[in-house]
Amino acid sequence: MMAKPAPTPDSTDEDARRLAQLGYRQELARTWSGFSNFAISFSIISILAGCFTTFGQAWNNGGPIAISWGWPLISIFILIIGFCMSELVSAYPTAGGIYWWAAKLGRPVHGWFTGWLNLIGLIGVTASVDYGCATFMNITINRFVPGFEISLLNTFILFAIILILHGLINIYSHRLISILQNVSVWWHVFGAAVVVLILIFGPEQHQSFSFVFTERINNSGFSDSAYWFYVLPLGFLLTQYTITGFDACAHVSEETQGAARSAARGLWQSIFYSAIGGWILLLAFLFAATDVEAINKAGGFVGAIFDTALSPTMATVIFGISTIGQFFCGMSCVTSMSRMTYAFSRDGAIPGWRLWSKVDRNRTPVNAIVFGCTWALIITLPALWAAPGGAPLAFYAVVSVAVIGLYLAFLIPIWLRLRMGDRFEPGPWTLGSKYKALCWIAVIEIAVVCVYFIMPLVPAAVPFSSDFTWTAVNYAPIVVGAVMLGVILWWVASARHWFTGPRRTIDEPDGLDPKSLV
């Protein structure tokens, strides 16, 4: 594990001074190194989570080319989004992150909607990661204890237990959290390497390059005529979901030493290294996917690759490595979600904000942790009911909630930065004149992605179709739409009169020009 440099008086004083310029006193403990800041986003992206849990989405909606070509293509777009956000976190290293940027670059209304979208996304990503972890844990336990049935009920019970454990770890082990983030990085690096090596040397035969890079599969139920413009883009959910949550670097910036530089680097580097590692891992899956019929019968579940290509022992090892990686990922998601909840509540935006913005004697936002974990449990309740074929399509709906909420929240401040142009005062990490091209690319990509991921994922989810069933519905637009409708009505009826954006918790430092903050 990389050694964490001890904070120096100069670095901590500079961080506290910059935070004071942005309007806040130092309330959270600034104990995280730059590596720990990188580690939390790298852990939340987690190639041991998304590459495993949403592999089936790409397999069924596009097949190998949705993975071998789709992953690097979409990764480039996400890296561009990351570059745009790195510039913003360098200028404004606060726990509020995205919504704070939107409020300062625009008006309070921009911060209001960005904050709620970000909160929805972070709760969604926490729910989906912990549910995916529970799924793989259920399978792993079953391999040791056959009597422990693989069922939606058992998976949900494990999900609730994992969510509670992550809440408790975040509440009672603040200092341990930053250490575990560092451990998580190396688990993901070496764990993924072990998985790749097993898939290289374990199978008796491998697929051809032609299969991996040219094979198309359409198990979606939609017509082949819709393959290129509808089915294949749905498969890109694998990449767009896996490489998300990197805004965590901003949410823990008030706890990071040298945040204006280290948080910016941590954000884009977490995307870059995850994109490379994830592509290698996914290619290893595809080359080992020799029994296509068995994988199709399993609904595209990645575990079918391991069971058909490897010995039971080696398959169990891979399940175990992934499950532990997903546990680390979920732990990091709760950390990020709670910091954003704390910051948004600190500015009075969430009902009961006085409760959610409190920190305990260890400077931990305990109530915000409980708030987020509770809602993550609630929105995953539909996973108790099986969709046609027995699959909990509610999982993919929660995944879509995460993607839509987070990426729409990313879009608003990126657009506002683009609109501000040369009036924007960057921090030490800046895009320079390249911001125009990069911000436009980011805005367009996010807009296109969000349209696709509110669409039906299977024919049975198409309203008014003959085989329509509510258990197959992609309820992402319902959840996001319902919350946003409530937020809009609340803004029009009340909040616009009292929500003024970020609230200062400290007097203006001497000699500071308030205009320099925007």
Side-chain angles (χ1 to χ4, degrees), residues 218-288:
N218 180 10
N219 293 335
S220 66
F222 293 109
S223 169
D224 286 339
S225 63
Y227 179 86
W228 291 107
F229 69 87
Y230 190 78
V231 176
L232 182 62
L234 289 180
F236 294 158
L237 181 61
L238 162 66
T239 315
Q240 202 80 44
Y241 165 68
T242 301
I243 309 180
T244 194
F246 43 83
D247 55 312
C249 289
H251 296 310
V252 297
S253 60
E254 289 185 28
E255 300 162 78
T256 302
Q257 303 152 21
R261 290 179 174 83
S262 56
R265 286 196 306 269
L267 197 153
W268 75 261
Q269 287 178 355
S270 65
I271 298 170
F272 178 77
Y273 290 115
S274 294
I276 294 174
W279 195 38
I280 294 171
L281 185 64
L282 288 167
L283 290 178
F285 291 171
L286 292 176
F287 278 111

Side-chain angles (χ1 to χ4, degrees), residues 81 84-85 88 96-103 105 109-123 244-247 251 340 344 400-417 442-443 446-447 450 480 484:
I81 293 169
C84 297
M85 292 174 61
L88 292 171
I98 301 166
Y99 95 87
W100 200 101
W101 309 338
L105 294 171
V109 64
H110 297 111
W112 174 261
F113 286 104
T114 301
W116 279 104
L117 284 166
N118 195 200
L119 184 60
I120 293 169
L122 289 172
I123 291 173
T244 194
F246 43 83
D247 55 312
H251 296 310
M340 192 277 156
F344 204 34
S400 295
V401 168
V403 170
I404 294 168
L406 288 177
Y407 278 98
L408 281 179
F410 299 166
L411 183 149
I412 297 173
I414 292 174
W415 165 253
L416 292 171
R417 188 270 176 268
V443 166
I446 293 172
C450 289
V480 177
M484 293 313 297

Side-chain angles (χ1 to χ4, degrees), residues 30-45:
R30 196 176 287 275
T31 58
W32 289 47
S33 68
F35 183 78
S36 296
N37 182 282
F38 156 83
I40 187 172
S41 282
F42 188 80
S43 296
I44 290 177
I45 292 173

Side-chain angles (χ1 to χ4, degrees), residues 284-334:
F285 291 171
L286 292 176
F287 278 111
T290 52
D291 193 339
V292 174
E293 183 178 352
I295 299 168
N296 287 338
K297 286 182 178 179
F301 178 56
V302 71
I305 296 176
F306 313 143
D307 286 332
T308 57
L310 301 169
S311 67
T313 300
M314 289 295 97
T316 301
V317 169
I318 291 180
F319 277 114
I321 290 172
S322 175
T323 301
I324 295 172
Q326 292 178 54
F327 188 87
F328 279 128
C329 177
M331 176 194 71
S332 301
C333 289
V334 171

Side-chain angles (χ1 to χ4, degrees), residues 440-463:
W440 269 116
I441 293 171
V443 166
I444 293 171
E445 198 271 350
I446 293 172
V448 172
V449 161
C450 289
V451 170
Y452 272 105
F453 295 157
I454 64 172
M455 304 298 283
L457 299 175
V458 292
V462 177

